[in-house]
Amino acid sequence: MKHYNDRIRDLREARRLTQKQVAEMLGIRQQVYSKYELGVRSLPIEHLMKLCRFYEISSDWVLGLVADDSEQEADN
């Protein structure tokens, strides 16, 4: 199962956004956002909420509480 840092990176890359663009949306520096994606720094709940609204996704999915379709297939 993927960790949230992998999921937020995958979301950003799928939309062809830079770390700087996402960081600006969050109101933080790019270096801070980079640490979220690397898993070096924990993602604060307020940033999780902003990312979920921005990407129009569930926080449960970002946190890995619900599996991707591909992950569900791998479990079977």
Side-chain angles (χ1 to χ4, degrees):
M1 182 178 344
K2 288 185 176 185
H3 290 104
Y4 75 85
N5 56 307
D6 295 321
R7 290 177 186 255
I8 63 172
R9 183 196 61 237
D10 291 348
L11 285 165
R12 178 183 58 76
E13 290 177 348
R15 286 158 180 83
R16 298 181 185 203
L17 297 168
T18 65
Q19 287 184 346
K20 184 175 181 179
Q21 290 171 311
V22 177
E24 287 174 354
M25 182 275 301
L26 293 173
I28 59 175
R29 295 187 338 258
Q30 180 272 329
Q31 293 86 349
V32 173
Y33 181 78
S34 174
K35 289 179 182 181
Y36 296 159
E37 286 192 2
L38 292 171
V40 173
R41 188 170 178 161
S42 295
L43 182 66
I45 190 74
E46 59 270 7
H47 291 168
L48 172 63
M49 291 168 56
K50 283 183 180 181
L51 288 170
C52 289
R53 283 189 213 112
F54 180 72
Y55 291 124
E56 298 179 339
I57 55 162
S58 161
S59 60
D60 285 351
W61 182 83
V62 174
L63 296 173
L65 300 175
V66 293
D68 290 331
D69 291 339
S70 60
E71 290 171 351
Q72 289 175 358
E73 291 171 10
D75 290 342
N76 293 331

